[in-house]
Amino acid sequence: HGQDVTCNTCHKPHEQDLTFAAVGACLSCHADDHSLAYEGSPHHALWEAETAGLGPLGSGVTCATCHMPQSERKGVVTTNHNQNDTLRPNEKMIRPVCMECHSLEFSIDALADADLVQRNFSGTPDRHIESIDWAVSRVEQSDQGSNQ
C-alpha cells in the first residue's frame, strides 16, 4: 500500500458518491481473495439490485456494510470507520453485521468456514458449530419446563 488513507481516499472531496466509497474505494486498494470475490457474490448481487432500483433501499450488501457498519441512535445514522471493530476475530461482526439479515446459527457456521469467507460467502457453510445446537436445545428444554 504505502499510501496514507485519508477521508479523500474513499470520499472524493467535491462529490457525495457513497456508491464509490462503499465498494470502489475498497477494491482500488484491497486485492486479496476475499475482496476480489465480492463481485459475483450473493451480497454483490443484492447491492446491484438495490442500486438498479430493483431491491428495497438498504437491501444491498457492500464492503462497507460489513466492514464499516452503520448504526442509528436517536434518528442519527453514523458509520463506524474503525474496521478493526468487526475484523479480527471475524466473530466480532456477528451481532452488528451478520445478524442484520442472517440467523445466529448461520452466521457462526459461515464465519467458521475459512474457504467460504475467502469466496466472499458464495455458497453455503461446509461446517457446523455444534455448540449453538446445545444452547438452542437448552433454551427449548427450559421453555418446555416452564410451560408445564
Side-chain angles (χ1 to χ4, degrees):
H1 298 291
Q3 75 182 60
D4 290 332
V5 177
T6 68
C7 298
N8 291 341
T9 304
C10 303
H11 299 280
K12 298 175 183 172
H14 302 289
E15 297 177 29
Q16 183 67 2
D17 188 353
L18 296 179
T19 300
F20 175 76
V23 175
C26 304
L27 296 179
S28 67
C29 292
H30 295 273
D32 58 279
D33 291 340
H34 173 78
S35 299
L36 295 175
Y38 170 73
E39 291 182 343
S41 73
H43 289 149
H44 182 249
L46 289 169
W47 185 64
E48 282 187 314
E50 180 185 346
T51 57
L54 303 173
L57 187 63
S59 64
V61 180
T62 67
C63 305
T65 303
C66 298
H67 299 292
M68 299 177 115
Q70 293 184 332
S71 60
E72 183 178 343
R73 184 172 178 191
K74 297 182 180 180
V76 177
V77 176
T78 58
T79 298
N80 181 353
H81 285 82
N82 182 355
Q83 305 91 0
N84 290 321
D85 282 353
T86 58
L87 191 58
R88 289 190 182 94
N90 67 11
E91 292 86 2
K92 289 166 52 176
M93 67 188 338
I94 289 174
R95 287 189 192 275
V97 178
C98 304
M99 288 181 60
E100 288 295 312
C101 301
H102 301 287
S103 70
L104 176 61
E105 296 88 345
F106 180 85
S107 300
I108 290 172
D109 290 348
L111 291 174
D113 183 344
D115 290 334
L116 184 63
V117 173
Q118 286 297 89
R119 294 191 312 268
N120 210 300
F121 306 100
S122 291
T124 56
D126 69 359
R127 301 193 56 177
H128 179 63
I129 306 303
E130 292 182 22
S131 59
I132 192 70
D133 297 333
W134 305 333
V136 169
S137 174
R138 193 167 176 146
V139 168
E140 288 172 352
Q141 289 172 357
S142 175
D143 288 347
Q144 289 173 356
S146 65
N147 290 333
Q148 294 178 355

